Amino acid sequence: MSQVIGIVLVSIASTSSSVGMNFQKLAHRQTEYEDPRTMDILRINKLTSNVYFRPYMIIGFILSVAAVVCDALALMFVGTTTIGILGCMSIPINVFVSKYLLYEDIKKKAKLYIATITIGCILCLFTTHPHNPMETFVRFARVDTAVFIAGMWLFAGVCALIGWASEQKLLAYGVLSGTMGSQFVTMGKYLLDMSYLIRHDLPLPPTLQIVGVACLFLLALPLQIIFLNKSLEKFNATHSVAIFQCTWCVLNVVLGIVIFGDMEHAELYQILIFLAGFCMTMVGIVGLSRQIEYNPPSLSEQNLAKHGF
C-alpha cells in the first residue's frame, strides 16, 4: 500500500511540476508579447517589470512548490531511486502540456529523443530496491560519500561555467538545474530519515553533518529554479524541461545507488538493465540538446509564412 501512495504522490508531483514550469515560461514570454500563449502581438515597448513577480511566474512557483511537497511526502513511502524513475513521467506530460498551453510545435525527431529518454528511465525502474533508514546515516558518515557529493557540486559548477562561456546553454543549464534538483531530493531524504531515529529514540548523527546536509538542502532548490529559468528564458520549454527532468531522474537513480545502496543486492541482469536504460537516456539527452530551438515563431508569423509572406 505504501508503494501505491508513493507512486500517486510522484504522479501528482510530475504533473504539477510540468504545468508550473510552463507557466514560468509564459512569464518570460510576457516580456515581448501581449499574449504569451499565441505570441500574436509584439509589445511596442518591452515589459520591464521583474519577471519573478509576474502572475504567471507566481502561479508557476506555487505549482513547483506543490510538486516539491508531493515529492517530499513520497520520500516517506519510496526511495530516491524509485522517485527518480517515476519522475520520468514528467517528460511525456510536459510534451502534452507545452503543446496545448504554449502552442509549441514538437518535431518528429524531438519526439523520438523524448521517447528514448522515457524508455531509458523506465528500464532503470527494474533496478530499484528499498533500503533501511539506518543505512542512510552509515553511508553519509563515509568519506567516499562525502567525496561523491562534493564531486556532484563540482560537476554543477562546471556546467555553470559552460553555460556562461559557451553556446551550449540549453544543455548546460538544463543539466545543472536537474543536478540541483537531485541534490535537493537526496538531502531531503536524509532529513526525513532522521524521523526514524527520533521515533525509535536512537542517537542522532553529528551536528556538523546535519547542518551541512541542511545547508545543501536549502541551497539546491533556489539554484534549481534560477538555472531552469535561465534555460526557459531563451529556449523551447519542451526541450528545456525534458533535459532538466531526465537529468533529475537519472541522477536520483545514481544517487540512490551510490549513497543509499539501492543496487547493493542487485543481480547481474538488473545491473545490465540499468546500464542499458542509462545509456539510452544519455543518448536521448545529447540528441535532444542538438535540437536547439529558440522561442518558436508566433502564430501570426507562422500564418504569414504559410501564405508566402
Side-chain angles (χ1 to χ4, degrees):
M1 186 61 183
S2 62
Q3 285 283 102
V4 174
I5 295 172
I7 290 170
V8 170
L9 287 169
V10 175
S11 300
I12 295 171
S14 297
T15 304
S16 180
S17 173
S18 181
V19 176
M21 285 184 279
N22 277 273
F23 269 102
Q24 292 172 48
K25 176 66 177 180
L26 286 172
H28 287 291
R29 283 188 181 178
Q30 280 185 303
T31 301
E32 296 185 351
Y33 297 97
E34 294 286 351
D35 184 349
R37 293 186 68 205
T38 63
M39 298 187 295
D40 272 335
I41 304 172
L42 274 169
R43 293 182 184 274
I44 297 173
N45 298 309
K46 288 186 178 182
L47 191 64
T48 57
S49 61
N50 191 315
V51 68
Y52 292 103
F53 292 101
R54 294 173 188 171
Y56 279 126
M57 184 63 76
I58 292 171
I59 293 171
F61 281 157
I62 291 171
L63 288 169
S64 295
V65 169
V68 169
V69 171
C70 287
D71 277 332
L73 291 173
L75 283 169
M76 299 173 68
F77 302 99
V78 294
T80 56
T81 303
T82 304
I83 283 181
I85 294 305
L86 292 174
C88 73
M89 291 186 300
S90 294
I91 298 168
I93 287 171
N94 181 66
V95 173
F96 179 82
V97 171
S98 295
K99 182 176 177 61
Y100 291 98
L101 187 61
L102 302 181
Y103 298 133
E104 289 188 352
D105 187 34
I106 306 162
K107 295 179 180 178
K108 287 185 178 179
K109 197 173 262 190
K111 289 179 182 178
L112 176 63
Y113 289 129
I114 290 170
T116 302
I117 291 165
T118 305
I119 293 170
C121 288
I122 291 172
L123 283 175
C124 292
L125 185 61
F126 290 96
T127 66
T128 58
H129 292 272
H131 73 279
N132 189 305
M134 283 300 298
E135 295 178 18
T136 299
F137 307 102
V138 172
R139 290 178 174 274
F140 263 81
R142 287 163 39 175
V143 174
D144 58 340
T145 300
V147 170
F148 185 79
I149 292 173
M152 292 298 298
W153 283 84
L154 180 61
F155 171 71
V158 171
C159 287
L161 287 174
I162 292 172
W164 174 72
S166 75
E167 295 300 317
Q168 297 297 320
K169 298 184 188 300
L170 172 61
L171 181 60
Y173 290 150
V175 171
L176 174 53
S177 58
T179 302
M180 290 296 97
S182 67
Q183 287 293 301
F184 180 81
V185 171
T186 298
M187 302 309 154
K189 180 63 174 172
Y190 173 98
L191 295 173
L192 282 172
D193 280 350
M194 284 182 60
S195 64
Y196 176 88
L197 302 180
I198 295 170
R199 285 199 313 271
H200 292 83
D201 199 25
L202 296 170
L204 295 176
T207 303
L208 185 61
Q209 186 183 100
I210 297 172
V211 171
V213 169
C215 288
L216 294 179
F217 176 79
L218 294 173
L219 185 61
L221 184 59
L223 287 176
Q224 172 194 320
I225 293 171
I226 289 168
F227 284 102
L228 178 60
N229 273 277
K230 281 184 175 292
S231 181
L232 288 171
E233 186 177 357
K234 291 187 176 181
F235 299 101
N236 190 309
T238 302
H239 300 158
S240 299
V241 176
I243 291 174
F244 158 75
Q245 287 291 356
C246 65
T247 303
W248 185 90
C249 293
V250 169
L251 287 183
N252 271 316
V253 173
V254 171
L255 288 164
I257 293 167
V258 175
I259 294 181
F260 298 107
D262 290 344
M263 284 281 285
E264 193 170 27
H265 305 294
E267 301 290 338
L268 178 61
Y269 78 92
Q270 292 174 316
I271 296 172
L272 292 175
I273 290 173
F274 170 77
L275 291 174
F278 184 83
C279 290
M280 284 185 69
T281 304
M282 290 299 102
V283 169
I285 291 174
V286 173
L288 195 61
S289 71
R290 290 181 177 177
Q291 300 294 304
I292 294 177
E293 180 180 335
Y294 282 86
N295 285 325
S298 66
L299 294 184
S300 59
E301 290 172 331
Q302 292 174 20
N303 291 332
L304 288 171
K306 285 179 183 177
H307 292 90
F309 293 102

